[in-house]
Amino acid sequence: MRDANPQTIYLKDYAVPDYLIHHVELNFTLDDENTRVVSRLTMIRNPASQTGDAALVLAGENLGLISVVLNDDNELTEQDYLQTQDSLIIHEVPQHRSFVLTIENTINPKANTALEGLYLSGSMLCTQCEAEGFRKITYFLDRPDVMAKFTTTLVGDKDRYPVLLSNGNKIAQGELADNRHWVTWEDPFNKPCYLFALVAGQLDCIEDSFITLSGRNISLQIFVEKHDLDKCAHAMQSLKNAMRWDEQVYGREYDLDLYMIVAVSHFNMGAMENKGLNVFNTKFVLARPDTATDSDYERIEGVIAHEYFHNWTGNRITCRDWFQLSLKEGFTVFRDQEFTGDRTSKAVNRIENVNMLRTRQFAEDAGPMAHPVRPDAYMEVNNFYTLTVYEKGAEVVRMIHTLLGAEGFRKGSDLYFERHDGQAVTCDDFVNAMEAANAVDLSQFRRWYAQAGTPVLTVQQSYNSSAQTLALTINQHCPPTPGQAVKEPLHIPVTVGLINKDGSIAPCNVQGRKTDEIVLQLTQAEQTFTFTDLKQQPVVSILRGFSAPVKLVMERSLEELAFLLSYDSDTFNRWEAGQQLAGQVIAGLIADIQSGQAMQINPMIVTAFKQVMAQSWDDLSYFSLLLGLPSETYLAEQMQVVDVVAIHKAREFVVLTLAQQLQTQFKTLYLECHKDESGVFDAGAIGRRRIKNMCLAYLGRLEQPDIQQWSQQQFDTAKNMTDQMAALAVVANGTHPAKQECLSRFYQQWQAEALVIDKWFALQASSHNPDTFETVQALMQHPAFDLKNPNRVRALIGAFSQANPLHFHAANGQGYQFLADQIIALNTLNPQVASRMLSALTSWRRYDEGRQALMKAQLERIMTTDAISKDVYEVASKSLA
Ligand code: 0A1
Ligand code: ZN
């Protein structure tokens, strides 16, 4: 397919483009298998270019070239240009004046299973151009620092493509012979080609409007297939909420008169922020109470907001090059996290985000693909849409927010927008604006962008009763990562609070300033901070709100953790204390298993849970998080050599013990909260569903007839997907007599709803049941399974390999072989998805010798794949290096 030995691209080699494009006039004659593209580019030599060579090199892949014409009348011949596999090199173009280059080519959307460029999703034609998809549409300067105005005309059959959409405003339309019609769109804003989009097909739309703060009326449209029209209301409301929030919190208004969202069923990622025409995975648009869970509702609002926020952080100000991806992604994720926190529960949202960061991003940072938030090299840019760039990138922005405070941060973002509107810039430009607006020095802080790996903070405390002081000594250390053996100390905000033994707040008095909480600024490898005026030794609550993306090492007794679980006023640390307590208890059981002893559970965990359950809670979602145990994946992250079987057994033992000993409490709580509130999405109803389903999950482990009846009844009568899915999970993950019947009834009920069927696949693939592997193999043959649909692949293959450690890591290696087979098949169909599926194999060094050998053998087999894609090659080869 591509290079067997792909080239590495380095940040240090960045050079400005040799040519610039002012205006792009595109004309598409649409056809599912043979679309004709005419691209008329108004160009000029870049005065800032340093290159002596005048050749014009345009990127292009899989294109059928028809003609190249210079200045409208000079048709170039094969002597004038060179066509390679991935470029068109025109030997000579005018150097001192602008010129027009018109290129005509064909493409085949139907054959495009990689879903980059122009492709068919169901019966809809749509595009995905980030990062380098535009070169699969036509020859172009496909790099984000080339920004141009786009005018796009779409021509197509009226019945086949009744709706024709592109970026910006519709400026003209008309009819043609042979039942065809055309529409011209014009985007008045300069943009890089990765923000180009077109959509054509049989679409229906819901419409609404939004009045901006300055009184402009924006028309809002969501396009979907006809049968999905009744699932768009939540997405529309979410969009309006996001628009208002960005005005209120960042002072940013929308800039076009029209905002369009299209939902497509085949999409490699979550959604795409194309200017004025977002293209979304249906998963992040469609919701009706009976088809989508509460967390789907929340994620939809978050992703809609994320794409909307990109209009300022990504589109108006974009990235100079793809190494700067976190400039737009880190900042935009930070913005969507803050939005979701404001819309739902700040406490819950922070915990969920940190949970994801610590289980998945920390693993990435500790593995062979570890890279800085601003990577300095890549083979395939699509491999760098990572948790590090997105989630750790957001943490870096959050730390700036913590260091500067909300007001200082807003001053910095205002200056950033003022300085760089309309430009393609770097992460440094962002930090420069934050610095300049606040007169602070963030030079050491910049290392967060350049250094990979998760820093470890080791904390020691010593209380001096005669001096009434507490000294906190914090040491920072960051383990080496590939290509970065030595790390420099980082500038780390560490938020601390002190608590007296009676639960009251002890003031933090450092250098004469007395506050309830303090942000310590750690800048050295080791530093001691002294708190004064402490008559008694307080309990330290450190890294409040998870103020930095680090691992914390601090000796804590179970008693101290139980104290913090009861008294810490910081909602994050309170939850964290419970997690650590459970983690220590589970670690004790793992040790029992590994030394061949009977498991002996420390009763403190039961007492601690009982206490939590005895309190009354306003935020029931937060309450349910306090009752959750650390996941198997998170527990695995904590072990030197991961023992999947022991982790599973130990954790299950704790679940069962809690279910047995707190059975009465779980039952009472379940019955109290089990109400019919279908379609009610306020925090109260969401919280009640969440806590009651948590209770049901515990109780389900008892395998008792009374509980089996409860779960069956909840399944039978549920009117919302949250309750139906939670009940099905309990029924299907055990020995419930109606297991098969419920699974098949669920399928029958929902076979017309692709997103619900994805849940059905994922639930079975992540089950602990002993026959899960056979089930997964059988599901691969199910008529509803389709290797060409990324959502399906993620639901079945992704859930099995990433959310089912017990079965994926079966000691005989069958899980590894299965995954490798699928990756090899996906390599040809969709390299991006193939490479993402590979992540389950990259951490092979973390397992025992037997599993290491089996995983490594599969990685080696993948490396021998014929026509291996750049995407898969980069991840597999780096994993083996
Ligand atoms: N910029 C989008 C994510 C995205 C990236 C690449 C894609 O295709 C390869 C698609 C979407 C976002 O952050 O939402
Ligand atoms: Zn994004």
Side-chain angles (χ1 to χ4, degrees), residues 273 306-307 310 328-329 332-333 390:
E273 69 263 24
H306 179 97
E307 305 312 327
H310 266 317
K328 73 178 176 84
E329 297 305 346
T332 305
V333 171
Y390 275 65

Side-chain angles (χ1 to χ4, degrees), residues 599-621:
M599 284 190 272
Q600 289 238 317
I601 195 165
N602 189 317
M604 276 200 62
I605 189 162
V606 181
T607 320
F609 268 61
K610 203 183 255 172
Q611 264 174 19
V612 169
M613 293 193 79
Q615 292 171 50
S616 85
W617 297 93
D618 290 336
D619 184 344
L620 295 178
S621 293

Side-chain angles (χ1 to χ4, degrees), residues 98 108 166 263 312 412 473 519 623 820:
S98 79
N108 182 350
S166 190
W312 276 96
T473 301
V519 180
F623 177 24

Side-chain angles (χ1 to χ4, degrees), residues 114-116 128-133 194-195 267-274 279-280 303 306-307 310 322 325 328-329 332-333 382 385 390 832 836:
L115 316 184
E116 260 185 312
Q128 173 53 43
C129 295
E130 187 177 5
E132 296 178 334
Y194 82 85
L195 291 172
F267 202 72
N268 283 343
M269 310 274 274
M272 180 62 211
E273 69 263 24
N274 316 302
V279 175
F280 270 65
V303 178
H306 179 97
E307 305 312 327
H310 266 317
W322 292 121
L325 182 58
K328 73 178 176 84
E329 297 305 346
T332 305
V333 171
N382 286 328
Y385 285 76
Y390 275 65
Q832 268 185 53
R836 285 189 178 263

